[in-house]
Amino acid sequence: MQMNFGLKLSQTQKLVMTPELRQAITILQLSTLELDQYIEDQLLENPLLDVGEDDPKVDEVEDKAEEKEDSNTDDSIDWDEYFQDEANSTPIRVQREQKEEGVGYENFVSSTPTLQDHLMMQLHVSSVSKTILKIGEFLIGNIDKNGYLSITTKEVAKILKVDEDEVEEALKIIQTFDPAGVGARNLTECLLIQIDQRGIDAPKIKELVINHLTDLAEARFSKIAESLNISVSEVQDLKDILVTLDPKPGRNFASLNDVCYIVPDAVVEKIGDEYLVIMNDTISPRLSINSYYRSLLSSEDKESNISKFLSSRLDSAMWLIKSIEQRRVTLHKVIQSIVEVQKDFLENGLIYLKPLTMKEIADKVGVHESTVSRAISGKYVQTPRGVFELKFFFQSGLDNENGTSTSSESIKKMIQEIIDTEDPYNPLSDQKIADILKDKGISISRRTVSKYREEAGILSSAKRKRY
């Protein structure tokens, strides 16, 4: 076989992940609070970035980006021409203006006490010995956020080198504190403590808690009634008493690790018959180019090290500003498209929420599906119906007999409404619920009803039945 050498020209397309593209992708998927922190980090790294001065115009950012893309051999930019207009109108400021901050009333608001703070306060006002006080402080430090003791008394006695009876004594004192049930080692002990503190004297209730909690959770009332030698209706009455107790007595107290603030990235306001999307730009600072370094760049020799450094920093600053603006525009388009699709939900409520996919929004906006996925990740929007995560509006659904479709959240809401109106002594089975939905034009199987019911946290008909 003869082998020959030859030259051949061909055109190919490939995606090159430049640092600027990576930055744009990163900024797009940041939430409002994360973007604010990201900008603060960039302000520390790049001296040309500044806050509070005249913002560079979007047209200038885009023109500069196009100029850089068109330049293949000569990367030099005429900074004198670029800054000509702004240099004449904006005075040079060497230092950033410090804005005097007023004192807000929120600075004087005390923090909410944690469960440990609440228990420590009660322990220190109790009349106990120094040894019991020391043991009690150690026990309180080992109570989890739900109010349960996360260590055994034997381990405490070994660590503190005290007698286990003293540990039990300290624990008994803590179990008398508020909230009722705190310091318990398991659910059974927690419920028994609350029964004693509330003075509940219903017959057989302690025996029910000690021996039949699992049967009670599975609604095996007949088995419990036979074991306790009482009627099924009495078992139902005892259960009604138990559900008034708190299985997690510590959850009503603040936990510093669980604090989560949600700042909506956009606000949807109804003006007339239309819904207007307003981007929340109040959290993130507005970036600009520092006037001092801008004038220094104009006056320096283009071949000097200072000019080269400032030029590279300016490129980075302008790309950051452009990426933030591109994020704002993309997010606005995505939210506006979602609002147009889900207008019936905003008008009438959850039942009218429509099925929606990211591909549909991507086609409407004119971007790739992955861009929509990044744009909605961790983002929230404030609507007249409340604050929702953008992913909430993307729901799967079922096709109706009339050619329309209904979202899964709407079906869950319908199932909840049907169950709310059922006879508690003769609850509806999943098949009956499926038949009711079919009469409303929603073709759904019994298994799908069971799936949606469980996702909504609704018990089965056997467990909902009252006697």
Side-chain angles (χ1 to χ4, degrees):
M1 183 170 73
Q2 186 176 2
M3 297 180 63
N4 294 322
F5 292 98
L7 289 175
K8 183 170 61 174
L9 291 176
S10 63
Q11 274 189 329
T12 60
Q13 286 185 336
K14 63 179 180 178
L15 178 63
V16 180
M17 290 292 290
T18 62
E20 291 82 4
L21 180 58
R22 290 195 189 97
Q23 184 184 57
I25 293 174
T26 300
I27 290 176
L28 178 61
Q29 59 191 9
L30 294 178
S31 65
T32 300
L33 293 178
E34 292 171 338
L35 178 62
D36 181 43
Q37 183 60 49
Y38 183 84
I39 292 175
E40 291 295 333
D41 294 340
Q42 293 298 315
L43 285 170
L44 295 176
E45 295 178 5
N46 195 336
L48 268 72
L49 284 173
D50 206 351
V51 180
E53 299 183 15
D54 296 336
D55 295 334
K57 301 177 178 59
V58 178
D59 294 339
E60 293 176 334
V61 177
E62 294 178 351
D63 292 342
K64 180 183 178 306
E66 292 175 0
E67 182 178 351
K68 183 176 179 180
E69 293 173 359
D70 294 338
S71 176
N72 296 325
T73 58
D74 186 10
D75 293 334
S76 62
I77 299 175
D78 189 354
W79 301 116
D80 293 333
E81 180 181 353
Y82 181 79
F83 292 131
Q84 183 176 4
D85 294 335
E86 293 189 0
N88 294 333
S89 59
T90 306
I92 298 176
R93 292 191 287 271
V94 177
Q95 296 180 347
R96 187 186 304 176
E97 296 179 359
Q98 299 294 329
K99 186 176 180 181
E100 184 177 355
E101 296 183 358
V103 179
Y105 288 107
E106 62 273 10
N107 296 331
F108 301 97
V109 178
S110 61
S111 59
T112 304
T114 63
L115 176 62
Q116 278 69 27
D117 294 336
H118 186 61
L119 295 176
M120 284 292 188
M121 182 271 295
Q122 298 177 75
L123 178 64
H124 289 163
V125 298
S126 301
S127 179
V128 295
S129 64
K130 291 184 178 180
T131 303
I132 298 299
L133 180 64
K134 177 184 176 182
I135 298 173
E137 290 176 344
F138 186 83
L139 290 173
I140 291 174
N142 285 276
I143 292 178
D144 61 24
K145 63 181 180 179
N146 292 324
Y148 287 88
L149 185 65
S150 57
I151 190 172
T152 64
T153 56
K154 186 176 181 179
E155 291 173 333
V156 175
K158 184 177 180 180
I159 294 172
L160 298 181
K161 297 180 181 179
V162 295
D163 190 62
E164 189 173 350
D165 292 337
E166 292 179 315
V167 179
E168 290 286 350
E169 181 184 351
L171 181 59
K172 290 296 182 182
I173 294 174
I174 293 174
Q175 289 177 349
T176 63
F177 291 168
D178 178 75
V182 71
R185 285 160 283 197
N186 50 58
L187 177 60
T188 299
E189 186 178 18
C190 178
L191 296 177
L192 291 175
I193 292 172
Q194 295 182 60
I195 290 173
D196 289 335
Q197 290 193 13
R198 294 190 182 187
I200 300 174
D201 58 354
K204 304 288 185 178
I205 190 169
K206 288 188 177 181
E207 190 176 348
L208 173 65
V209 171
I210 295 172
N211 300 318
H212 300 287
L213 278 184
T214 302
D215 293 332
L216 193 64
E218 297 298 328
R220 293 194 281 261
F221 294 159
S222 300
K223 178 181 177 181
I224 298 173
E226 182 179 355
S227 176
L228 297 180
N229 195 23
I230 57 178
S231 64
V232 176
S233 61
E234 288 178 311
V235 176
Q236 181 76 67
D237 294 337
L238 293 178
K239 178 187 176 182
D240 293 340
I241 296 175
L242 290 180
V243 296
T244 63
L245 306 180
D246 192 350
K248 298 179 180 180
R251 61 182 172 181
N252 293 325
F253 287 82
S255 178
L256 299 178
N257 296 327
D258 294 340
V259 176
C260 180
Y261 296 98
I262 294 178
V263 178
D265 296 80
V267 178
V268 177
E269 294 285 350
K270 185 177 183 181
I271 301 178
D273 295 332
E274 298 296 327
Y275 285 93
L276 180 65
V277 177
I278 304 172
M279 301 304 298
N280 185 7
D281 298 326
T282 58
I283 301 297
S284 301
R286 303 183 67 182
L287 297 179
S288 62
I289 304 301
N290 187 280
S291 59
Y292 170 71
Y293 290 106
R294 183 170 58 195
S295 62
L296 185 62
L297 183 60
S298 301
S299 60
E300 283 290 326
D301 182 11
K302 296 179 181 178
E303 299 300 325
S304 66
N305 292 332
I306 295 177
S307 179
K308 292 179 180 178
F309 171 77
L310 293 179
S311 298
S312 64
R313 293 290 83 194
L314 180 63
D315 288 342
S316 176
M318 298 303 288
W319 269 108
L320 175 62
I321 295 172
K322 179 182 177 182
S323 298
I324 294 174
E325 176 63 19
Q326 186 177 7
R327 171 192 180 275
R328 189 189 69 82
V329 172
T330 302
L331 192 56
H332 182 274
K333 290 180 179 178
V334 169
I335 297 176
Q336 186 66 55
S337 300
I338 293 174
V339 169
E340 292 174 359
V341 175
Q342 303 292 3
K343 187 175 180 180
D344 291 339
F345 160 74
L346 297 174
E347 290 283 351
N348 304 305
L350 185 59
I351 294 180
Y352 294 88
L353 185 66
K354 297 179 179 178
L356 184 63
T357 63
M358 295 183 188
K359 187 177 185 308
E360 295 177 44
I361 296 299
D363 294 339
K364 290 173 67 69
V365 177
V367 296
H368 194 269
E369 188 175 344
S370 62
T371 303
V372 176
S373 177
R374 293 189 180 99
I376 68 173
S377 176
K379 311 296 193 308
Y380 290 81
V381 60
Q382 179 180 326
T383 71
R385 293 279 169 185
V387 178
F388 297 95
E389 189 177 8
L390 287 180
K391 289 183 179 180
F392 168 80
F393 297 99
F394 294 87
Q395 300 285 343
S396 59
L398 298 174
D399 295 331
N400 301 332
E401 296 178 353
N402 55 5
T404 61
S405 58
T406 306
S407 69
S408 59
E409 287 295 328
S410 301
I411 297 175
K412 292 176 187 177
K413 180 67 174 178
M414 293 179 184
I415 293 174
Q416 181 68 64
E417 292 178 350
I418 292 172
I419 291 177
D420 288 342
T421 58
E422 71 180 359
D423 181 8
Y425 296 97
N426 187 24
L428 298 172
S429 64
D430 293 340
Q431 184 59 54
K432 291 182 179 179
I433 294 175
D435 295 338
I436 294 174
L437 292 175
K438 188 173 183 180
D439 293 338
K440 295 183 178 181
I442 301 175
S443 180
I444 185 172
S445 65
R446 182 197 60 80
R447 294 178 62 184
T448 307
V449 170
S450 177
K451 171 188 172 183
Y452 287 161
R453 176 181 53 74
E454 291 175 356
E455 290 178 355
I458 303 173
L459 300 176
S460 63
S461 57
K463 296 181 180 180
R464 297 197 311 269
K465 182 178 177 61
R466 294 189 62 85
Y467 296 91

